[in-house]
Amino acid sequence: MGLVVQKFGGSSVANTERIKNVATRVISERDRGNQVVVVVSAMGDLTDELIALAHQVGSNPPDREMDMLLTTGEQQSAALLAITLCSMGCPAVSLTGWQSGIMTDSIHCRARITEIKPDRIKEELNQGKVVVVAGYQGISPQGDLTTLGRGGSDTTAVALAAVLKADICDIYTDVDGVFTADPRIVKNASKLDVVSYDEMLELASLGAVVLQPRAVEFAMQHKVKVQVRSSFKLETGTLVMEAEKMENNRVVSGVAHDLNVAKVALFDVPDRPGIARAVFKALADANINVDMIVQAAMRDERNDIAFTITKDDLPRALPVVERVCREIGASGTAYGEDLAKVSIVGSGMMSNPGVAATMFAALADEGINIQMISTSEIKVSCIIAADEIERAVNALHAAFNL
Ligand code: ASP
Ligand code: MG
């Protein structure tokens, strides 16, 4: 007998009709002779609605209380699914995060799982029940409820699959799998049968958000086989697995894009040791994640430094950058928001020269100006104007014959 972890996202459990559909899928997995652990998200946009409610009563709600509130969303769908399963004749029990033994650190609203004690889950499975776990939550050493950051139910599912040594972790969602590009932008984008953990990590953090990046990291560390698939169709989805086990590593697997990009520049920065530290330590201290960094050598021992962050972080970053600008004696700052990042991702890229050149040629042929470039072993990213993103993604999709 195998063990399967199934995760159903908010859209898959958005109403009672859909919860019944989920129950049917759970039962058919069980009928195949597998033990089943199901992880659910909150119904539809409930998490957003609860956040809005909190802000109606308090302008700066304490993180601890937010966790107390938000964990109720997942508990509702877990209980409703267990009730549905029972009424369909399938023995089931719902468990909160803490009942499932999910221990976290005490950083509210973005807690990390530190340990899982799956005894209760195993006990219930051994009694022949389907176990429905409320996703996205755990308990801190102080005994307070915590949440794992937005989209955290993915991480719950992958972490449970790892400790329970599940055969597979099926992530059911409202798309058919991972695509060669966003199908809303590229008409002939196609579903990938398999991607490597590295590729998925790049795709997940580059705006093709079908999986929480932290869940992918977890899967990679613990070698959990993950499948992203549609909860409305029976077809298989996209398998996420080790690159070494894939039959062929494509040079380029997909084109990702991200519109949540802002650029900040510091001009005439003195050219001496410690300057980059001053700039980026101040940003790190303010909890601002920096993505690309470009430093251009200028005249008279002065440089320009430009970097990108998310648009959401821009209001918090600007005062920090202005302060640092004065402290280090730079001549001024500037920022831009109408930007996008387009990236090609592929684990076969490292052994194939000329991939970046092909990318730049495709963008040049479209008359698209590249503002910044960054590369890693499996990706090349370019910052371009936001209104050119559709043309860029389509041109690259065609250039790499995806
Ligand atoms: N309900 C939470 C959210 O919307 C967690 C999740 O869906 O995974 O972010
Ligand atoms: Mg959700």
Side-chain angles (χ1 to χ4, degrees), residues 6 10 50 52 59 66 87 102 135 149 153 188 203 237 268 285 287 299 317 332 340 344 354 379 385 395:
Q6 299 184 315
L50 291 172
S59 55
M66 288 309 289
S87 79
I102 300 175
S153 302
N188 59 344
L203 293 167
D268 301 314
D285 289 346
N287 233 323
R299 58 275 129 186
I344 51 170
K379 138 194 119 163

Side-chain angles (χ1 to χ4, degrees), residues 262-267 307 309 311 314-315 317-318 321-322 332-339:
K263 180 168 107 174
V264 182
L266 274 157
F267 301 116
F307 56 89
I309 55 178
K311 262 184 207 159
L314 191 62
L318 288 178
V321 174
E322 267 144 31
T333 64
Y335 69 93
E337 279 190 281
D338 297 324
L339 299 169

Side-chain angles (χ1 to χ4, degrees), residues 371-392:
Q371 303 190 21
M372 286 168 112
I373 299 169
S374 83
T375 62
S376 79
E377 284 188 333
I378 69 156
K379 138 194 119 163
V380 185
S381 302
C382 296
I383 297 291
I384 60 171
D387 57 7
E388 294 180 325
I389 194 68
E390 292 205 8
R391 278 195 299 129

Side-chain angles (χ1 to χ4, degrees), residues 7 9-11 41-48 74 136 150-153:
K7 182 256 172 179
S11 56
S41 287
M43 294 169 76
D45 295 326
L46 181 58
T47 305
D48 292 317
E74 270 67 14
Y136 169 60
R150 297 306 304 269
S153 302

